[in-house]
């Protein structure tokens, strides 16, 4: 079983969400399908996929206009939540410390955090991918082992149509796996994300230590999302 997780970002209407779940009805797969939807589309009554969110407040409740708490997400039927997506780190100044806190809040609310990490183009160009990814990983994960997921997403590969080579993905996933094994968190699933599409999904998801995929653009429409679900074995 592999995870196939869609991230709709700031996209999607109720009609588009309903159409997606309708088409997922006919999919036969052993993979675990999750859609991380915008807050406005979170719907307890969905079936044929698991419900995910894209952010969680650090605060349990109170005067924090615009924040959605863990308790509220749980109440809305959310099973997992993205934390530290590179767009949150970049546009909302989320640090490893904030990400770690958000992951802890998710776990405290019985929601699985999907902790995103990945190097910048600058780090890649200067040969610092492994050090950057390892530092981000160890500073962003909760201290105690919990039911969390890691998504390795090179920043430069997100929404660009560019992907690392299969060898590069393999090497980073192995580094992440070894770092997690070093702290006895080796059961943590490690996903790859960044310009995944129906042409590269099968090969990437078959690599060792790749336990699934996190998909942005290609998860928005059933014509591009369903073929990915079908090719991942
Ligand atoms: P992409 O996005 O598939 O559009 O590159 C991935 C992500 O941001 O999670």
């Amino acid at each position: 079983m592999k995870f196939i997780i869609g991230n709709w970002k700031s996209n999607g209407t109720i009609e588009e969400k309903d159409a997606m779940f309708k088409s997922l009805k006919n999919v036969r797969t052993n993979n675990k399908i999750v859609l991380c939807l915008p807050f406005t589309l979170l719907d307890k009554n969905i079936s044929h996929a698991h419900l995910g969110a894209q952010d969680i407040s650090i605060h349990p409740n109170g005067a924090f206009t615009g924040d959605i708490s863990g308790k509220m997400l749980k109440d809305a039927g959310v099973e997992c939540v993205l934390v530290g997506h590179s767009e949150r780190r970049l546009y909302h100044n989320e640090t490893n410390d904030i990400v770690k806190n958000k992951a802890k809040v998710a776990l405290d609310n019985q929601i699985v955090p999907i902790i995103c990490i990945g190097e910048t183009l600058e780090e890649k160009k200067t040969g610092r991918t492994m050090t950057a990814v390892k530092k981000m990983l160890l500073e962003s994960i909760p201290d105690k082992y919990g039911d969390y997921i890691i998504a390795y997403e090179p920043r430069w590969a997100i929404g660009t149509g560019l992907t690392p080579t299969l060898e590069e993905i393999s090497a980073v996933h192995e580094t992440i796996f070894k770092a997690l094994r070093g702290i006895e968190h080796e059961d943590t699933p490690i996903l790859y994300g960044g310009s995944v599409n129906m042409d590269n999904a099968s090969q990437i998801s078959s690599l060792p230590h790749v336990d699934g995929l996190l998909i942005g653009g290609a998860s928005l429409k059933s014509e591009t999302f369903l073929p990915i679900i079908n090719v991942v074995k």
Side-chain angles (χ1 to χ4, degrees), residues 5-7 9 82 85-87 116 151 153 157-162 193-197 214-219:
I5 304 188
N7 171 15
K9 311 191 181 190
L82 296 172
H85 188 279
S86 76
E87 286 147 18
C116 306
E153 297 202 299
I158 296 178
T160 57
L162 302 170
S195 296
V196 172
N197 57 43
L214 178 56
I215 304 152
S219 72

Side-chain angles (χ1 to χ4, degrees), residues 1 7 9 13 16 44 51 67 104 128 137 140 165 177 182 199 204 209 213 216-217 228 230-231:
M1 187 279 294
N7 171 15
K9 311 191 181 190
T13 59
E16 286 164 339
K44 236 186 182 140
L51 195 60
D67 274 21
K104 183 179 178 303
R128 288 180 292 143
L137 172 76
S140 302
T165 62
F177 172 75
D199 299 324
I204 296 176
H209 303 303
L213 302 168
I228 296 178
N230 289 329
V231 297

Side-chain angles (χ1 to χ4, degrees), residues 99-113:
V99 175
K100 178 176 177 156
N101 258 306
K102 288 191 169 186
K104 183 179 178 303
V105 172
L107 288 171
D108 289 346
N109 284 280
Q110 290 79 50
I111 295 171
V112 177

Side-chain angles (χ1 to χ4, degrees), residues 26-169:
N26 305 316
V27 172
R28 298 281 163 270
T29 177
N30 292 325
N31 298 316
K32 182 160 182 174
I33 314 300
V34 181
L35 277 175
C36 295
L37 299 173
F39 292 133
T40 51
L41 300 182
L42 295 178
D43 178 355
K44 236 186 182 140
N45 301 314
I46 59 145
S47 45
H48 314 293
H50 300 266
L51 195 60
Q54 299 171 16
D55 188 30
I56 183 169
S57 174
I58 282 186
H59 308 288
N61 61 327
F64 302 100
T65 302
D67 274 21
I68 307 291
S69 73
K71 194 171 165 197
M72 291 154 82
L73 291 179
K74 190 74 191 168
D75 187 47
V78 165
E79 294 177 50
C80 32
V81 61
L82 296 172
V83 292
H85 188 279
S86 76
E87 286 147 18
R88 301 286 317 170
R89 292 178 184 265
L90 191 62
Y91 305 130
H92 298 269
N93 303 318
E94 291 196 1
T95 59
N96 290 338
D97 207 39
I98 294 175
V99 175
K100 178 176 177 156
N101 258 306
K102 288 191 169 186
K104 183 179 178 303
V105 172
L107 288 171
D108 289 346
N109 284 280
Q110 290 79 50
I111 295 171
V112 177
I114 304 159
I115 304 167
C116 306
I117 54 171
E119 81 283 4
T120 61
L121 187 56
E122 173 66 19
E123 285 162 341
K124 178 181 166 58
K125 279 185 174 162
T126 50
R128 288 180 292 143
T129 298
M130 297 304 183
T131 357
V133 167
K134 236 162 97 175
K135 179 171 163 33
M136 226 173 182
L137 172 76
L138 296 174
E139 291 181 3
S140 302
I141 56 174
D143 293 325
K144 272 200 305 193
Y145 178 71
D147 195 6
Y148 68 87
I149 294 173
I150 294 297
Y152 166 56
E153 297 202 299
R155 234 182 231 199
W156 53 272
I158 296 178
T160 57
L162 302 170
T163 50
T165 62
L166 294 174
E167 291 71 27
E168 285 170 331
I169 297 175

